[in-house]
Amino acid sequence: MVMRLAVGFTDDYIIKVNNLKVYFTKGNSLFGKKNVTKALDGVTLTIKNREIMGIVGESGSGKTTLGRVTIGLQKPTEGDVYLKVGQEEINVSKAKLKTISKYVQMIYQDPYSSIDPIMRVYDVLAMPLKYRKEREIEKRIEDAMRLVDLPIELLENRVYQLSGGQRQRLSIARAVIVDPKYIVADEPTTMLDASLKGEILKIIKDAREAKGISFMLITHELPIAKIISDRITVMYLGKIVELGKSSDVIKKPLHPYTQGLIDAYPRIDPSLKDKLKEIKIKVDVIRPNKGCVFHPRCPFAMAKCKEEEPQLKEVYQDHYVACWLY
Ligand SMILES: Nc1ncnc2c1ncn2[C@@H]1O[C@H](COP(=O)(O)OP(=O)(O)OP(=O)(O)O)[C@@H](O)[C@H]1O
């Protein structure tokens, strides 16, 4: 227990989640068995001030649910979430959404559906600033447009007239314009061409530098997380399997699942390609009733892995893994 609480512990944090569980129940007990999906199953981590924390894992690993819980959009089944602003620690799952929304924002995967296409660009940015003086609104809009590298002339355009990349820049501008402390960016580059992905990531990094905003960057693509994240958390079926500095997780992956993810993107480090050839992950996704959640897919599974669940363990400094190989 002490080890779990200690994962990435620091006083200088914006988000702290402790043994977080989110279970979704489907089905009716009158007519059959209830189906429980453990979207998050005992997640403990902190996101430091000014940090970009990459959350990586395949579809269904719980990334979006984790992001939503940290900004109060999803209530946890169990566990706590704290947002720390200055010396004030806000219990996110108990506080009113209005209190939290002053400090947090979300950027979505699909700028086409998250912004009304017929609105004027100016109005998209002015809307969250209502009740402020006109001069302040103008100044903030100008600053936000500059930060995301959108020309001022576009302010009079309708959203549908913008390209996909411009729309995603606009959604970042809309998020940063209210000076949040923390932003959840959920697959912000997934819908974009490869050439635009880097530009959007650079804008996120610039927003961190210019405004000191902390980010949770959710992605199923490890190379995306590698580009701008300070640390990477690897999730599998609702659990953290590995957590560490980006360079450590990419260059010295400890968990067989992380090694498999890297194998899927050998261009990250071509020298790893041959070494990782032997680590071919089996494809069937089964949630076991006991033991390590990854053991049915793990090429290294031992008898112990089928019986006992490994806890996150600090194998190297600030580099944690939940695996019986260590
Ligand atoms: N509102 C919900 N009701 C029922 N099940 C849900 C709900 N939201 C998420 N889930 C389930 O919880 C699990 C985790 O989903 P989540 O969206 O958090 O994962 P993810 O890693 O973000 O995947 P994706 O990239 O596909 O969004 C999945 O099995 C999903 O089907």
Side-chain angles (χ1 to χ4, degrees), residues 226 250-251 262 265-274 276:
K226 182 204 170 216
I250 299 289
K251 288 193 188 131
I262 288 173
Y265 297 103
R267 275 172 304 163
I268 289 179
D269 180 352
S271 68
L272 284 175
K273 197 178 173 188
D274 287 339
L276 292 170

Side-chain angles (χ1 to χ4, degrees), residues 22-26 37-40 55-68 74 109 186-187 218-220 235 237-238 287:
V22 176
Y23 293 176
F24 294 107
T25 309
K26 278 188 212 147
T37 302
K38 296 181 174 180
L40 295 178
I55 306 287
V56 177
E58 292 163 303
S59 181
S61 54
K63 306 179 299 293
T64 297
T65 305
L66 178 60
R68 285 171 53 81
Q74 171 70 52
Q109 171 177 341
D186 191 355
E187 304 272 7
I218 296 172
T219 175
H220 64 280
M235 294 193 60
L237 289 183
R287 174 183 280 278

